[in-house]
Amino acid sequence: MELSRQGVDWADKALRRLEEMARARGFSDLLEEHLKPAREAETVDPRGLVVEDAEKGVKVVIKDVRVIREGGRPRVIVEYEVNGKAKSFSFIWGVTTRGRVIAGMKLNDERAITLATLLGDGAIGEKRGSITLTARHLLALAKYKGAGWELLRWYAEVMKE
């Protein structure tokens, strides 16, 4: 997928052929489920994204979203600015004993609206306290530059185990 996006001709042809074969065999739903995150990976630059909750008087400007590996697990770091003050929060992904991919973190107003926007999950914007993120949320983060490929690589590694 990444090679195709970079203009590598054979990769683009291989991807198109894979999509044709999946549709011809009736697997288009699986194709969409598994290739969509890879197709969208790192296509959105979150820097400069403004998130606002006028009711609570909170305005956040996202400065960066990136992933670093810690002990083989990805830590997502979100840097943002509120009223001219630089702030950040992070959370680390892991796998439960039952094989579920999760990340936990504590929310306040700023973090809640920022995460709700980044994840496309408005319900998070209303929550406070501890929250558990799931694989669905990880895949939603994959579209952001600086996070996508690292998250998808880790997700593929843990799902094949």
Side-chain angles (χ1 to χ4, degrees):
M1 193 68 63
E2 178 63 13
L3 291 174
S4 175
R5 185 176 297 118
Q6 292 177 12
V8 176
D9 193 41
W10 65 263
D12 193 42
K13 288 178 185 174
L15 183 58
R16 279 199 306 268
R17 181 68 181 129
L18 177 63
E19 289 173 338
E20 289 171 11
M21 290 168 45
R23 283 190 186 90
R25 289 176 172 79
F27 298 121
S28 57
D29 57 333
L30 290 174
L31 180 73
E32 188 63 25
E33 176 186 342
H34 294 287
L35 285 183
K36 183 179 179 187
R39 191 178 291 125
E40 294 176 348
E42 300 214 6
T43 58
V44 177
D45 188 348
R47 293 174 291 184
L49 181 65
V50 177
V51 181
E52 192 167 7
D53 186 335
E55 185 178 300
K56 293 185 174 97
V58 178
K59 181 179 178 182
V60 173
V61 179
I62 297 174
K63 296 298 181 185
D64 197 17
V65 176
R66 67 184 195 283
V67 173
I68 59 171
R69 286 267 185 140
E70 284 186 13
R73 296 169 48 196
R75 176 179 293 278
V76 175
I77 301 167
V78 179
E79 296 174 348
Y80 62 101
E81 189 175 287
V82 179
N83 301 325
K85 290 184 179 179
K87 296 186 175 187
S88 69
F89 65 88
S90 68
F91 49 93
I92 193 161
W93 290 95
V95 181
T96 67
T97 56
R98 292 184 174 207
R100 291 185 56 223
V101 170
I102 63 166
M105 67 173 300
K106 292 188 190 267
L107 295 179
N108 60 21
D109 288 341
E110 297 166 5
R111 291 176 180 183
I113 65 167
T114 302
L115 259 185
T117 300
L118 289 173
L119 300 175
D121 186 346
I124 290 176
E126 304 302 317
K127 295 184 179 186
R128 298 301 171 273
S130 295
I131 184 173
T132 300
L133 303 175
T134 64
R136 171 176 59 96
H137 298 115
L138 180 142
L139 296 175
L141 285 170
K143 69 183 172 188
Y144 295 109
K145 288 184 181 182
W149 286 113
E150 188 63 32
L151 288 174
L152 289 176
R153 190 174 300 114
W154 177 80
Y155 183 71
E157 288 169 9
V158 298
M159 288 295 104
K160 74 177 183 184
E161 293 177 356

